[in-house]
Amino acid sequence: MEATTITRRGLLRSAAAGAVVAVAGGCGLLPTGGRSAPVPGVAFADPPQRLAGAGRPVVDLTAAPGAELGGVPGAGLGYEGTSPGPTLRVRPGEELALRLHNRLDVPTNLHTHGLRVPPAPDGDDPFRTVEPGGSADYRIRIPADHPAGTFWYHPHHHGTVADQVFGGLVGALVVEGGPDLGTAAEHVLVITDSDLAPARRGGGPGPMERMAGREGDTVLLNGRLQPVLGVVPERSERWRLLNATCSRVLDVGLEGHRLLHVATDGVFLPRPASRDRVRLAPGNRADVVVRPSRTPGRYALLAESLDRGGPGAMAGTGPTGGGPVVLGAVDVGGRARPTPEPPAVLAVPAALPRPGRTRTITLDGGGAGMGTGMGTGMGMRFGIDGRAFAPDRDDIVIRAGTVEDWVFDNPGPMLHPVHLHTWPLVPLDDDAYGSAGTARDVVVVPAGGRVRVRVAFTGATGRTVLHCHVLDHEDLGMMATVVVDGPVP
């Protein structure tokens, strides 16, 4: 699937035609160049940080309403009063000790997305329930050989996941370490969307929106509307980009700059890849190195939603319109302070183990006629291998230590980003999201297409889930249980 390229020429055409990007509370012209991009944003700020490793106190995470979103007080849900919640930082070999407090009026729980940790009862267990008013302790041991990179956390209580993530219950999680990238600064950039226009707030999604995968009328960066980050010419920075939206597939680019892509989903690429944009499906992360231009001025950070297929208001035709959304901007100024280039080699890919079997997994979404499952009230059914999710049923049972090739078959009219907990997916073919042979935890299966991945069920055992990361599709039944048993190899 080819990416839609964000180009300066295209932006100039749009600006010349008077195009606007609609946002709650105002609108901004698409930028006309690095010197005068009219982005009216507030100052950029990283989410608060919490060191959560060995010898440190338990980190409290209170999930509650009342968080500010896009400058609107009390518009969202948050952890510890903010959306996104605190960025948790831990090192390989340490224990992530958390205490989740539920101050919502519905059940919740916590999933540490992308971590290669067992789904233990007091760990990353998607079947756990924390009732309203209750609290729960999480003790998640990070393996000593765990990759250093960018991960995240969010609720995973089936049936309410999309509502809670859309409301703002998300946060970044960093496993520290990795190669020295030569950068002088680092920032976490969490992309979310929500409904902030008064006419859309509080109404909840209708059946068509749930079927399509909901999109908010406002796209935010670290919970702020078009924030502006001050940078220094040629003083490179590491940006940890996280797509924490419920549904949007985004091409993210910085006007007038190339992005040096160094990692996807917490795994370093073998070599840095220079791109004009990086593609992020829901749940994907990308680490990029940004070297600010020598030319002073304001440069817009843009995200273009890709069409995910299917009927109705899909990506690119929803409330934010069909053009690039302005996430924010950088202000380049001051004396140039060049920093070193990242190393030419970032990681040595491990040899792929040989598979013991091939398994085809069919994604049922956007079509009628499934024999079992939950619908949207419009004849639509969502499931995996012909069945909607049932938490007490074992769907895929695998012996620990097994290596399998999985073929995700998507006969329907909508794209589906597929996420497997605990065990990474290694795509066997190049695509727009990264290189073949580099592990990731969200793999995009295009409408009417197939994707092959290899999965090594090593390092952990337990019972967890495989699901679509368009979170409304997950809540509507596109999820299956995965059970790995036997001695840990």
Side-chain angles (χ1 to χ4, degrees):
M1 177 166 73
E2 289 295 319
T4 302
T5 303
I6 301 171
T7 65
R8 178 181 289 271
R9 181 176 297 175
L11 291 170
L12 287 168
R13 277 200 302 268
S14 298
V20 298
V21 176
V23 293
C27 62
L29 289 174
L30 287 174
T32 57
R35 297 178 181 275
S36 59
V39 179
V42 297
F44 174 90
D46 284 281
Q49 296 191 66
R50 299 287 187 274
L51 300 178
R56 301 187 180 105
V58 173
V59 174
D60 287 292
L61 288 178
T62 301
E68 179 178 307
L69 287 181
V72 181
L77 309 176
Y79 291 111
E80 295 301 291
T82 67
S83 178
T87 297
L88 307 177
R89 289 184 173 269
V90 68
R91 289 188 174 276
E94 295 182 337
E95 182 180 78
L96 182 61
L98 307 172
R99 182 166 295 128
L100 177 65
H101 306 281
N102 184 4
R103 301 298 178 261
L104 309 172
D105 58 5
V106 294
T108 192
N109 61 15
L110 195 70
H111 169 46
T112 52
H113 181 123
L115 290 189
R116 302 178 187 183
V117 295
D122 63 346
D124 195 344
D125 180 3
F127 304 101
R128 194 174 189 182
T129 296
V130 183
E131 298 288 353
S135 298
D137 287 330
Y138 285 78
R139 298 292 184 269
I140 301 172
R141 183 74 179 179
I142 312 298
D145 61 351
H146 196 285
T150 305
F151 305 89
W152 65 302
Y153 61 92
H154 62 83
H156 213 291
H157 188 272
H158 181 60
T160 63
V161 180
D163 289 341
Q164 293 181 15
V165 170
F166 191 74
L169 284 177
V170 302
L173 195 164
V174 174
V175 178
E176 296 187 305
D180 183 357
L181 300 176
T183 51
E186 176 182 312
H187 296 291
V188 171
L189 289 80
V190 181
I191 304 167
T192 58
D193 65 349
S194 195
D195 283 337
L196 297 184
R200 290 178 58 90
R201 287 177 58 191
M208 180 65 79
E209 288 177 287
R210 296 189 73 199
M211 180 186 71
R214 75 188 77 180
E215 294 185 1
D217 58 21
T218 309
V219 183
L220 302 172
L221 189 65
N222 288 351
R224 300 187 174 203
L225 182 61
Q226 297 184 350
V228 178
L229 172 66
V231 298
V232 175
E234 296 193 319
R235 182 177 180 266
S236 62
E237 299 187 347
R238 177 181 186 168
W239 290 3
R240 298 178 183 267
L241 297 167
L242 159 60
N243 182 356
T245 68
C246 283
S247 304
R248 293 174 182 268
V249 179
L250 299 171
D251 274 356
V252 179
L254 179 62
E255 181 197 14
H257 292 73
R258 302 281 291 179
L259 303 176
L260 199 60
H261 185 190
V262 296
T264 294
D265 287 1
V267 178
F268 280 94
L269 304 179
R271 297 176 179 274
S274 179
R275 309 187 192 280
D276 63 352
R277 76 282 183 266
V278 292
R279 181 165 294 176
L280 298 171
N284 275 148
R285 291 86 62 211
D287 289 35
V288 298
V289 173
V290 178
R291 181 176 290 274
S293 170
R294 290 185 65 89
T295 305
R298 179 167 291 186
Y299 298 83
L301 180 65
L302 300 155
E304 185 160 6
S305 292
L306 274 70
D307 185 357
R308 290 180 281 112
M314 309 302 284
T317 61
T320 48
V325 175
V326 179
L327 296 176
V330 296
D331 270 345
V332 181
R335 180 174 58 87
R337 295 168 60 186
T339 49
E341 296 287 344
V345 177
L346 298 171
V348 178
L352 285 179
R354 295 178 62 86
R357 63 165 289 179
T358 297
R359 186 188 303 262
T360 298
I361 297 172
T362 302
L363 309 175
D364 304 300
M370 284 174 56
T372 12
M374 178 186 294
T376 64
M378 302 179 66
M380 306 299 290
R381 297 290 184 267
F382 291 85
I384 291 178
D385 286 336
R387 301 188 294 187
F389 177 65
D392 296 329
R393 186 184 64 225
D394 291 344
D395 295 317
I396 301 173
V397 179
I398 298 166
R399 181 77 174 171
T402 299
V403 178
E404 294 192 356
D405 279 0
W406 285 5
V407 178
F408 293 119
D409 183 20
N410 178 15
M414 287 187 274
L415 168 158
H416 296 294
V418 177
H419 172 49
L420 173 63
H421 293 205
T422 302
W423 298 277
L425 308 168
V426 180
L428 300 179
D429 303 297
D430 286 333
D431 60 15
Y433 301 82
S435 301
T438 301
R440 66 189 82 155
D441 52 65
V442 176
V443 171
V444 174
V445 187
R450 286 186 160 204
V451 169
R452 299 183 306 139
V453 301
R454 188 159 295 172
V455 193
F457 292 94
T458 58
T461 60
R463 189 171 187 270
T464 190
V465 290
L466 165 78
H467 63 88
C468 177
H469 222 283
V470 172
L471 296 178
D472 283 296
H473 294 175
E474 174 197 327
D475 282 338
L476 289 169
M478 191 177 282
M479 183 157 66
T481 59
V482 178
V483 182
V484 179
D485 60 11
V488 177

